[in-house]
Amino acid sequence: MTKKNKKNRKWIGILSGVCIFIFAIVILGWNTPVANINIVGNIYGTEEEIENQLFPTNREKSYFSCLIGQVFGVKHTIPSIQQVQLKFKRFDTVEVNVYEKGIVGCIFYMGQYLYFDKDGIVIDSSMEQLDGVPIIEGIKFNKVVMYERIGTESEDIFVNILNLTQILHKNNIKMDKAYFSKDLKATLYYGNIEILLGFNDFMEDKIAVIASIIRNNGFDGLEGTLDLQNYSDTNNEYLFKKKEEK
């Protein structure tokens, strides 16, 4: 065998060894799960629930899968989550930042609280009512399916529900309950206060009044009814009637 052939065989052996080593690393990387996955940023879903949804198998938890997710972004199909970002804190630890969709309201249906987002899509369910999320009552729903838009008797009903709950969410007002009558008049309940909103007109202005009262602790220690039904851009008067003591 010539010296040239021996040299070529040597390099082939080295390259083969390197290829086998790389192949072994890839196989190991794809099949070895990251030891620690820390979920941060979640408000509604628990860490365990989100981890199980994002990483249902060891393949999704593998080093290479998480590394690709960090570099190129994580693709997910969880309706309650808007965005996910991965970051390696150490070689064996990945931090998962989740950005959940905002829950604007809920309904009680078939023994569960079903929570919906600003588009009316049911994104979560629970046996307990989350603090500060208003429960919607007085409306009959003809279609309630997880991860789908809530169905109502008419689009007008749905528009009013979403309009009110989104305005409350935007102003960071946490009501206990919202009731809609058959003629679509809305009533809110905040502790011992009943708030008559009436029809959907000037709802932004009406909620702004409520926000101002809450900021100034105007409802503290009170029990009664706040009437905003006739409030408008030309009529800035409203009435508060204390509940008479028995």
Side-chain angles (χ1 to χ4, degrees), residues 100-135:
E100 295 174 310
K101 289 183 179 178
I103 291 175
V104 298
C106 74
I107 60 174
F108 189 72
Y109 185 79
M110 300 290 287
Q112 292 190 86
Y113 292 97
L114 301 178
Y115 298 91
F116 57 89
D117 64 9
K118 64 181 181 62
D119 299 313
I121 296 174
V122 181
I123 61 174
D124 201 1
S125 65
S126 174
M127 299 299 292
E128 299 179 357
Q129 184 181 2
L130 293 174
D131 183 45
V133 178
I135 183 170

Side-chain angles (χ1 to χ4, degrees), residues 3-4 9 13 22 38 69 78 81 89 97 111 120 123 147 159 165 187 208 210-211 228-229 239 242:
K3 188 180 290 187
K4 183 177 180 181
R9 288 185 64 181
I22 293 174
N38 300 327
I78 305 175
I81 294 179
K89 305 300 288 186
N97 284 276
I123 61 174
Y147 311 133
V159 168
T165 53
T187 302
I210 298 171
L228 287 164
Q229 295 182 90
L239 176 66
K242 290 185 180 180

Side-chain angles (χ1 to χ4, degrees), residues 137-187:
E137 295 183 350
I139 301 297
K140 290 184 178 180
F141 302 98
N142 53 31
K143 181 185 177 184
V144 183
V145 180
M146 283 296 295
Y147 311 133
E148 293 185 14
R149 200 168 188 256
I150 298 173
T152 55
E153 295 175 345
S154 74
E155 186 63 22
D156 289 340
I157 296 175
F158 201 70
V159 168
N160 284 20
I161 293 173
L162 290 182
N163 183 53
L164 175 58
T165 53
Q166 286 184 59
I167 295 172
L168 290 172
H169 183 71
K170 184 173 68 175
N171 286 274
N172 197 29
I173 298 177
K174 298 180 179 180
M175 291 287 160
D176 302 318
K177 182 171 67 175
Y179 177 84
F180 286 86
S181 64
K182 290 183 178 179
D183 58 356
L184 297 185
K185 285 186 177 181
T187 302

